[in-house]
Amino acid sequence: MRDHFELRDGDLAGRIGRLSVPRAGVTVETPALLPVVNPNIDTISPARLESEFGADILITNSYIIKTNEHLREEALDVGLHEMLDFDGAIMTDSGSFQLAEYGEIDTTTEEILQFQRDIGTDIATPVDIPTPPDADREQAEADLEITKRALADAEAADTGEMLVNAPVQGSTYPDLREEAGRHADATDLDVFPVGAVVPMMNAYRYDDMVDAVAAAKRGLGVDAPVHLFGAGHPMMLALAVALGCDLFDSAAYALYARDGRYLTVRGTEHLEDLEYLPCTCPICTEYSPDDLRAAGSKEQEQLLAEHNLHVTFAELRRIKQAIRDGDLMELVEERARSHPAMLDGYRALLDHVDQLEREDPASKGAFFYASNESAHRPEVARHHARMDRLTAEGHVLLTEGGTPSGDDFDATWRVVPPFGPFPRSLSETYPLTAEVPERLDRDAYEQAARGVSRLVEENPDATFTLAHDDWPESALARVPESVELESLSTVSERLGDEASSEGDDEGDAGDERDEGDSDGLSDE
């Protein structure tokens, strides 16, 4: 186990953790945002990031500092913390971003790690190769080998108390990402950034981002703190946390502000298009859109950057509370409705349901069925697997509520879409207490039918009758042919007709008795 990272709580693959950074003497609660600080541009000072926004960790670029004579001399003279005026933990990048952008840099892993140690970096980064999405496999494999050599050089370096990143590359090849994660996890390095995902996010390829991170996570151990390099838009943080990412860095707050763009959890707005500010942060309560537009360019940039940070930190707090409450999936689903590409990302997340289920807590708060995607949540997969432990014997009725007439059953189990069948004694256990709408979608019924099919397959000596409430044909087609089907509406209609018929007969007999009684009374 990595003793510098402690897991405190979890939901899905998301977790609240404590990352100890010994060189800084601080412990960072994760999920955490590392605001990117450009040492050449002072949009919001690191001291304000700490005092006003609560940032206890940030990231800057050691290669930029190393290649700028003035910055290099100052950093070597007074140290990074004093130069930036920041008491929290400082992570530094190595120049790999510049390598990806410009094709070459003038440093090696050994040189840049030594420089990072000399200037007082708390979490350092080797020179890895960020292979872009859709690179041909030969290039991705060759780049990955170079990155592996960089990790070996980092292991061999004398880094003292400085933590060191072990980047996970592999482009858009899940098997390479998994291999890279497994290789990085086997090193004695400390933090595990998933790299080269920024081009995917810039192109709104959130489904590809999810697949890349999920593959990397399969190779990494549960105790590995995962950093999603270059991710920091509030819209996608819940999705990334649900995948198991712990650290995020972003220059978006500043870059978007420079472009007059206003971040929200539903996307990005242009200031020029806003009549109202849909936020309650200090900037949005003090200023109107007209006020911001009337400000000078420098002031406007700073105010927008402050808003962008406020909304991003607020979203991280919201995510942490969702983890505590056990309803992170509900938040992910809500955010997924903000953009079609986010919905693609959410659906890609559910493609990895078996992987999520292994880390998702077995019991938590409420399960709210909010869309057809809810039918594919980890809780449903876990319920189907759990039913394999139970035995059904004799003639078993599986029913949504009613009982077919004229049949004797050895046992009666409930059936609730999307979960499927279960003994009545489990009715009040999570997730079978789920809140579901009256008008369920096809996916819910089809998942329930899969549950029925699995129960039948696991209990070949039992016989089953399914009393359903008018399930769609697509769901009934998934029920094994050996199961006797009966619609509850038909049963109810038949029972109603029988009751009505019996009532009529009793009414006729009653009329005759009444008449007889009347006659008798008359005779008296």
Side-chain angles (χ1 to χ4, degrees):
M1 295 291 290
R2 290 179 168 84
D3 57 10
H4 62 283
F5 187 54
E6 177 188 2
L7 299 181
R8 305 299 295 274
D9 208 343
D11 189 21
L12 299 173
R15 57 266 189 105
I16 295 174
R18 290 168 59 86
L19 177 67
S20 297
V21 188
R23 198 175 193 199
V26 302
T27 298
V28 177
E29 184 180 81
T30 64
L33 176 73
L34 291 72
V36 173
V37 172
N38 186 326
N40 288 310
I41 303 173
D42 187 22
T43 305
I44 301 176
S45 71
R48 290 189 62 209
L49 291 174
E50 187 173 11
S51 62
E52 297 181 27
F53 297 88
D56 46 18
I57 185 169
L58 56 78
I59 185 171
T60 191
N61 194 305
S62 66
Y63 185 73
I64 291 176
I65 296 172
K66 184 174 184 288
T67 54
N68 180 296
E69 183 178 357
H70 171 72
L71 293 174
R72 180 177 68 251
E73 294 305 317
E74 184 181 4
L76 288 170
D77 182 34
V78 302
L80 198 56
H81 285 269
E82 185 173 337
M83 183 177 102
L84 296 179
D85 190 18
F86 186 74
D87 294 327
I90 299 177
M91 179 186 291
T92 50
D93 198 3
S94 60
S96 294
F97 176 78
Q98 282 73 19
L99 180 63
E101 289 290 305
Y102 308 117
E104 61 179 351
I105 57 173
D106 183 22
T107 193
T108 65
T109 286
E110 296 94 327
E111 292 169 347
I112 200 67
L113 285 180
Q114 184 60 52
F115 180 73
Q116 289 173 93
R117 185 178 182 185
D118 290 343
I119 64 176
T121 290
D122 301 308
I123 307 175
T125 308
V127 180
D128 62 308
I129 307 295
T131 312
D134 309 315
D136 65 67
R137 188 177 180 90
E138 185 177 357
Q139 177 190 343
E141 290 175 338
D143 288 351
L144 187 53
E145 288 304 311
I146 297 174
T147 294
K148 288 179 179 179
R149 290 199 292 274
L151 300 193
D153 292 339
E155 279 193 284
D158 182 7
T159 55
E161 286 192 320
M162 184 172 68
L163 301 181
V164 180
N165 285 321
V168 178
Q169 299 293 347
S171 186
T172 35
Y173 298 95
D175 61 320
L176 295 184
R177 287 281 185 178
E178 184 172 348
E179 175 193 336
R182 189 170 295 109
H183 177 86
D185 191 65
T187 70
D188 61 5
L189 302 180
D190 307 291
V191 180
F192 302 88
V194 179
V197 294
V198 171
M200 300 181 208
M201 292 184 287
N202 287 344
Y204 291 88
R205 294 170 56 178
Y206 291 111
D207 50 350
D208 290 333
M209 183 272 288
V210 165
D211 290 340
V213 174
K217 288 283 293 184
R218 287 194 294 273
L220 293 168
V222 175
D223 63 336
V226 177
H227 181 172
L228 191 58
F229 258 151
H233 196 300
M235 179 175 69
M236 53 74 61
L237 289 177
L239 177 65
V241 170
L243 273 165
C245 297
D246 307 292
L247 301 170
F248 306 89
D249 72 273
S250 179
Y253 75 96
L255 295 176
Y256 284 20
R258 204 166 301 149
D259 196 32
R261 296 162 76 183
Y262 175 99
L263 296 183
T264 79
V265 296
R266 298 184 59 83
T268 306
E269 304 285 351
H270 287 275
L271 178 61
E272 63 189 28
D273 298 329
L274 292 175
E275 286 191 53
Y276 306 95
L277 299 179
C279 176
T280 57
C281 79
I283 302 305
C284 296
T285 53
E286 184 175 347
Y287 298 89
S288 70
D290 286 339
D291 294 334
L292 294 178
R293 285 190 284 265
S297 59
K298 184 63 178 177
E299 182 186 10
Q300 181 190 105
E301 178 184 332
Q302 181 169 315
L303 292 173
L304 279 178
E306 290 179 25
H307 157 78
N308 291 345
L309 271 179
H310 278 301
V311 74
T312 306
F313 277 107
E315 179 69 354
L316 276 179
R317 293 191 294 272
R318 189 176 295 113
I319 290 167
K320 290 178 183 179
Q321 189 60 48
I323 293 174
R324 292 282 194 210
D325 294 340
D327 55 15
L328 179 57
M329 185 64 95
E330 279 77 11
L331 181 59
V332 173
E333 183 153 10
E334 181 181 340
R335 296 291 178 258
R337 263 59 200 174
S338 64
H339 193 282
M342 285 298 301
L343 185 56
D344 284 338
Y346 176 41
R347 288 171 174 168
L349 177 74
L350 293 173
D351 287 342
H352 303 284
V353 65
D354 292 339
Q355 183 174 335
L356 296 176
E357 192 275 328
R358 288 192 290 272
E359 296 186 48
D360 191 43
S363 182
K364 41 189 172 180
F367 179 120
F368 287 93
Y369 192 103
S371 72
N372 65 301
E373 285 85 16
S374 299
H376 306 281
R377 285 176 51 160
E379 293 94 332
V380 178
R382 180 184 296 122
H383 173 74
H384 288 173
R386 280 182 168 180
M387 289 303 99
D388 292 350
R389 307 175 192 171
L390 303 181
T391 301
E393 298 178 334
H395 190 186
V396 182
L397 171 66
L398 311 175
T399 178
E400 282 194 88
T403 303
S405 62
D407 287 304
D408 293 322
F409 300 97
D410 298 297
T412 300
W413 288 28
R414 289 189 64 198
V415 175
V416 173
F419 303 103
F422 55 90
R424 290 182 182 274
S425 59
L426 299 180
S427 296
E428 297 304 315
T429 62
Y430 183 86
L432 304 174
T433 53
E435 296 285 344
V436 299
E438 290 292 331
R439 300 183 180 185
L440 279 170
D441 51 70
R442 186 168 297 176
D443 288 48
Y445 293 110
E446 290 176 1
Q447 283 290 72
R450 288 188 181 96
V452 171
S453 179
R454 186 160 177 168
L455 179 68
V456 172
E457 182 180 342
E458 292 294 321
N459 295 272
D461 296 330
T463 58
F464 297 89
T465 294
L466 172 62
H468 62 90
D469 192 8
D470 289 334
W471 285 13
E473 286 301 322
S474 62
L476 295 177
R478 299 177 184 273
V479 177
E481 293 183 359
S482 62
V483 177
E484 181 181 350
L485 299 175
E486 189 156 3
S487 170
L488 283 174
S489 62
T490 303
V491 172
S492 299
E493 184 179 341
R494 187 178 71 239
L495 292 177
D497 290 343
E498 291 174 359
S500 176
S501 176
E502 290 173 2
D504 290 343
D505 291 343
E506 291 173 0
D508 292 342
D511 289 343
E512 293 172 1
R513 284 194 298 272
D514 289 344
E515 289 174 2
D517 291 341
S518 296
D519 289 344
L521 288 171
S522 299
D523 289 342
E524 290 179 352

